[in-house]
Amino acid sequence: MKSPIILLSLAVLITGGKGDDEEDDDFYARVWEDIDTILRPQLETIYDEPPVRQNLGHVGRLIFHDCGGPDSNGNATSICDGCYDFDNADHNGLQGFITTRFQGIYENFIDNRNYTEDSFSRADFWSTAATIAMQYAQTFDSNGLNAAICNLKFYFGRKDCKVDDENQELGDVPQAIKDNTKVFPQGTGVFETEGVQWFEDNFGWSVQETVAILGAHTLGRMHTSASGFGTDFWVPLWGTLNNDFYVELIRQTFTQTENDKGLFQWESGSFTMLNTDVGMVLDLECSGPTGECTCTSAMTTCTEKSSDTGARKFVEMYAANNKLWLDDFAAVFQKMVVMGYDLEKDELRCLNCMEPTKFFTTEATIVAETETTYDDSHSERATFNIW
């Protein structure tokens, strides 16, 4: 008589057990369910915190600083790897948010759901949190609820950077020694170098994609302690993802002024723009570390860029059509959060889709959809209390 163990083994061979692919599918299905039903509401609660959902801006800046940035020798190192260098002045203002809020949420989540740092990396957590933030921020403006931003894809499988154990601990967040020399765009520079050239060199993006990503400035405000600029707002209804950045850039008449830190910024009432913003619509000649430009009295003394080509054309297009911008922003944001990974080689797994991402709308389609009047129909604009 055959033993029960042999019979059981035969039964498994005949009926078939779960293969590796099926186990992987089960794991990724569980990850997505945990993200969508557990992590999402937790993060949305954090994003709702006052003043005016400021944590949306923090996480947007965090994912940009995680996924982008060359070293000081000009070598592109853009990859989403879940590491952060506390000694890099370009990251000023993010340390407290990471150590006091995000790290605790991450650790509690993986512990409660029985993940490890290897099975659910910090890099995946940051990218997931940023994706949820973009979707949530858009819900505060009903003009564009059917935009592609609502259906962003969630990719999984990023690897955290390797660190030097002797130098990694500060608030339990690993620091990548290679990140010590990361260099990010400077607001005192001009759009052509600190915008177009930087994004082309490090992300491989076009002028249009660069213009599209800068619309995320609607999520936050400037902080003098972090960048030396501020403390005003880019838009009246900050903490909301919409095309207000482009509308105000066209609508307002800004004057370049010197702030208390000796840096030059463009002001109109309580709104502020930087050289890299204004340089999308005006030809600026600026010099020195302070960013002073030759046409400082007012925007009206500067030469306007052509509306037919280049950055200004895209600014006017996005000012005219909120949904168009949301769709294009979604495509560029999607490219950013998978930076450093080859999707064609399946280096990341899409959790909520089966089809590959279409990263960017063709210019021909965009032009065909463009409206001729500015889309500033955000009903809360006039009465919203920014404090």
Side-chain angles (χ1 to χ4, degrees), residues 9-310:
S9 300
L10 288 172
V12 169
L13 289 173
I14 294 171
T15 60
K18 276 195 174 183
D20 291 341
D21 290 343
E22 291 178 281
E23 291 179 354
D24 285 347
D25 288 343
D26 288 346
F27 171 75
Y28 289 121
R30 180 170 79 90
V31 171
W32 172 240
E33 183 177 3
D34 286 346
I35 287 173
D36 203 35
T37 62
I38 298 175
L39 187 57
R40 185 187 295 274
Q42 288 180 358
L43 289 172
E44 288 179 352
T45 299
I46 297 297
Y47 297 151
D48 269 335
E49 292 177 353
V52 199
R53 303 184 294 274
Q54 66 173 350
N55 288 330
L56 291 170
H58 290 326
V59 74
R61 183 169 175 239
L62 171 62
I63 196 60
F64 170 55
H65 282 235
D66 178 36
C67 297
D71 63 29
S72 58
N73 296 319
N75 301 311
T77 57
S78 296
I79 183 172
C80 307
D81 61 2
C83 281
Y84 176 86
D85 168 34
F86 295 113
D87 297 323
N88 188 336
D90 283 348
H91 299 317
N92 283 350
L94 285 173
Q95 177 178 340
F97 174 68
I98 296 172
T99 57
T100 61
R101 305 311 306 274
F102 250 34
Q103 184 65 10
I105 297 171
Y106 169 64
E107 291 178 353
N108 289 336
F109 174 73
I110 63 174
D111 286 347
N112 292 337
R113 302 306 300 164
N114 296 317
Y115 296 108
T116 66
E117 292 184 357
D118 290 329
S119 64
F120 200 125
S121 69
R122 180 177 292 98
D124 276 333
F125 175 76
W126 285 0
S127 293
T128 297
T131 303
I132 291 172
M134 298 306 111
Q135 292 180 320
Y136 191 54
Q138 196 281 316
T139 64
F140 295 100
D141 186 339
S142 61
N143 182 16
L145 286 177
N146 294 320
I149 197 80
C150 305
N151 298 300
L152 283 171
K153 298 176 181 179
F154 287 75
Y155 286 94
F156 193 80
R158 300 168 186 82
K159 304 298 182 183
D160 290 339
C161 65
K162 295 181 180 180
V163 297
D164 183 338
D165 290 338
E166 295 182 358
N167 297 283
Q168 78 171 36
E169 296 301 331
L170 181 57
D172 297 322
V173 179
Q175 298 185 72
I177 303 307
K178 72 178 180 61
D179 281 358
N180 286 347
T181 53
K182 271 193 172 184
V183 179
F184 287 87
Q186 303 299 308
T188 54
V190 294
F191 176 70
E192 284 72 18
T193 55
E194 299 301 316
V196 175
Q197 195 63 54
W198 191 94
F199 282 100
E200 179 182 351
D201 290 345
N202 299 287
F203 286 167
W205 290 358
S206 66
V207 173
Q208 183 175 6
E209 290 172 307
T210 300
V211 173
I213 201 67
L214 291 179
H217 280 159
T218 61
L219 295 180
R221 59 180 295 181
M222 302 173 201
H223 297 269
T224 305
S225 59
S227 65
F229 296 104
T231 55
D232 290 329
F233 323 96
W234 275 282
V235 297
L237 192 58
W238 65 291
T240 299
L241 193 67
N242 58 26
N243 67 334
D244 273 3
F245 172 73
Y246 308 100
V247 172
E248 298 304 331
L249 188 55
I250 296 295
R251 183 207 305 271
Q252 299 290 338
T253 299
F254 292 91
T255 299
Q256 195 183 54
T257 60
E258 184 177 7
N259 67 18
D260 293 341
K261 296 291 186 179
L263 301 180
F264 284 82
Q265 57 194 40
W266 297 83
E267 298 180 352
S268 177
S270 61
F271 307 129
T272 299
M273 294 280 178
L274 304 179
N275 286 349
T276 44
D277 304 320
V278 175
M280 288 190 288
V281 296
L282 300 178
D283 279 321
L284 299 181
E285 293 183 9
C286 313
S287 60
T290 63
E292 184 176 9
C293 302
T294 55
C295 52
T296 58
S297 60
M299 290 178 71
T300 53
T301 67
C302 304
T303 303
E304 288 190 2
K305 289 184 174 178
S306 172
S307 298
D308 297 328
T309 60

Side-chain angles (χ1 to χ4, degrees), residues 368-380:
E369 295 176 352
T370 302
E371 299 175 4
T372 56
T373 57
Y374 295 148
D375 182 1
D376 59 354
S377 54
H378 311 299
S379 58
E380 297 177 82

